[in-house]
Structure formats: structure tokens, C-alpha cells
């Protein structure tokens, strides 16, 4: 017990795996107690066996597989559209102050607006089809991603840029051979984080119609 409560010390792999498994088992046990014990109606809290049976049935019928493919398409389309625009523009914002001044105030203003607030406008202009769902995911990730990429680009040391200019590099060479490689690890981390947000906004997007 003393080792479990030690501050910032390692745990044996078996102990770590046991604690991690407990984090998954405990909610399932609570779920089973409430559902099988009759503390909640099956309409609101179906039992694990009913959920498992429905999972097997939908896989057998192909319904769940088709739904998974559609969700993957929506997330991929919205996220890729966001990344294609946000990454190059964010790099330019982090490199050139003029581009930052042109974009950051507007992006800072919009990013605090929830993506769900745009749903009525999206339905009005593009309807309730696939584009509506893709745009919800795009709006939910774009305004966050562009600022994160800007900070990644801004984090490249100014000394590296000055040395590149001293060695005779052009602005394009500094951008492509210094800024971009220096910011790339942070950009990939930002993409990883916003991809997770894209899956969150998928739930919002699929509530549209």
C-alpha cells in the first residue's frame, strides 16, 4: 500500500495493469448492479447482456459496420478539410506578423463559440445532408487547430531564423527548411489532439437530422 501511494515512483507492470483493469471493471459492475437489480428501467439502462446481444445482432446484419464506415467518412472529411486549411495558414500566422494580424483576432473571436451554435446556419445554407455533418466537425476543429499550429510555428527559436538569413537563405527557404521542420513535431501533436476533438464533434454532427 505504501508503494501505491508513493509520490512519483514507478509501479510494477502487473500492479499498473491491475489498477488500469479495475478502472474499466468498476463501471461495468455498477452498470450490472443497477440494471440486473431492477433499479433502472431497461428502456433507460439496458443490461450488459442486452447490449451485447444487440451488438452481435447489428454486426451480423451489417448495420453497425455500415454506420462505422459512415462515421469514419464524416470524421475524416471534416478533419482533413480542417487540417488542409489550418496547417499552412497557421504556419504563416506563426511566421509572419502581418498574416497573424489579419487572422488571429477573428479566429480568437470565433473559437469561443460552440460548434453547435452554427448548426441552424449550416442547416439553412447547406441542408441536413453529409455536408452539414462535415461542416460541424470542420468548425469544431479548425479554429482550435489553426491557433495551435501558429503557436507551434512561433516556438521555433528566432536565432535559427537569423542564422539562416545570415547564411543567405531566402524567406521561402527559411519557411520550408527551418520553420516547417522545427514546428513539425508540435504540429503532429496538435493534429493528434484535434482528431480526438473531431470524434467528439461527430456526436453533435450526427444529431443533425
Amino acid at each position: 500500500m505504501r508503494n501505491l501511494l508513493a509520490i512519483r515512483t514507478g509501479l510494477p507492470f502487473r500492479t499498473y495493469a491491475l489498477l488500469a483493469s479495475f478502472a474499466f471493471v468498476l463501471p461495468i459492475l455498477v452498470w450490472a448492479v443497477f440494471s440486473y437489480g431492477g433499479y433502472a428501467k431497461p428502456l433507460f439502462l439496458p443490461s450488459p447482456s442486452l447490449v451485447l446481444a444487440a451488438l452481435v445482432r447489428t454486426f451480423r446484419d451489417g448495420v453497425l459496420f455500415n454506420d462505422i464506415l459512415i462515421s469514419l467518412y464524416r470524421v475524416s472529411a471534416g478533419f482533413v478539410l480542417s487540417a488542409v486549411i489550418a496547417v499552412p495558414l497557421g504556419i504563416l500566422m506563426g511566421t509572419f506578423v502581418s498574416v497573424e494580424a489579419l487572422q488571429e483576432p477573428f479566429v480568437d473571436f470565433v473559437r469561443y463559440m460552440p460548434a453547435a451554435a452554427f448548426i441552424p446556419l449550416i442547416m439553412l445554407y447547406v441542408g441536413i445532408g453529409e455536408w452539414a455533418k462535415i461542416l460541424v466537425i470542420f468548425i469544431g476543429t479548425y479554429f482550435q487547430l489553426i491557433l495551435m499550429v501558429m503557436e507551434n510555428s512561433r516556438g521555433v527559436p528566432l536565432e535559427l531564423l537569423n542564422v539562416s538569413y545570415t547564411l543567405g537563405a531566402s524567406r521561402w527557404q527559411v519557411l520550408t527548411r527551418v520553420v516547417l521542420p522545427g514546428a513539425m513535431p508540435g504540429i503532429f501533436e496538435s493534429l493528434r489532439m484535434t482528431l480526438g476533438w473531431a470524434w467528439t464533434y461527430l456526436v453533435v454532427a450526427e444529431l443533425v437530422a
Side-chain angles (χ1 to χ4, degrees):
M1 178 62 69
R2 181 176 298 178
N3 292 334
L4 293 178
L5 300 178
I7 298 176
R8 293 185 179 180
T9 56
L11 288 175
F13 176 77
R14 184 176 299 177
T15 304
Y16 188 95
L18 181 63
L19 293 174
S21 301
F22 181 74
F24 288 93
V25 171
L26 181 60
I28 296 176
L29 289 177
V30 174
W31 174 21
V33 169
F34 273 88
S35 59
Y36 290 123
Y39 297 103
K41 295 181 179 180
L43 177 64
F44 302 106
L45 187 66
S47 64
S49 58
L50 289 176
V51 173
L52 183 60
L55 177 66
V56 173
R57 184 176 64 255
T58 51
F59 257 119
R60 187 188 305 120
D61 297 340
V63 175
L64 184 59
F65 182 73
N66 291 333
D67 290 343
I68 291 174
L69 289 181
I70 294 173
S71 296
L72 283 173
Y73 164 72
R74 292 167 178 167
V75 169
S76 301
F79 178 71
V80 169
L81 181 62
S82 172
V84 166
I85 301 175
V87 170
L89 193 55
I91 293 173
L92 293 177
M93 289 171 61
T95 306
F96 302 104
V97 180
S98 58
V99 182
E100 176 187 345
L102 186 64
Q103 290 289 323
E104 186 180 17
F106 173 76
V107 173
D108 266 331
F109 175 77
V110 177
R111 74 175 176 130
Y112 290 109
M113 301 176 65
F118 291 92
I119 290 179
L121 290 176
I122 291 174
M123 294 174 64
L124 178 63
Y125 291 119
V126 300
I128 58 175
E130 290 300 315
W131 265 110
K133 299 167 180 59
I134 292 171
L135 284 178
V136 171
I137 298 172
F138 169 81
I139 293 173
T141 55
Y142 170 77
F143 294 100
Q144 307 295 334
L145 179 58
I146 189 173
L147 292 178
M148 295 169 69
V149 173
M150 181 189 71
E151 291 299 328
N152 298 144
S153 303
R154 190 181 289 169
V156 178
L158 184 60
E159 291 78 8
L160 292 179
L161 307 184
N162 293 332
V163 169
S164 301
Y165 284 128
T166 302
L167 295 175
S170 64
R171 291 182 182 179
W172 175 253
Q173 290 174 327
V174 171
L175 183 63
T176 57
R177 299 185 183 182
V178 180
V179 175
L180 185 58
M184 193 57 67
I187 292 175
F188 277 117
E189 178 65 18
S190 299
L191 289 171
R192 184 187 66 82
M193 293 179 61
T194 49
L195 179 59
W197 297 344
W199 281 101
T200 302
Y201 285 110
L202 174 68
V203 179
V204 179
E206 293 188 341
L207 290 176
V208 179

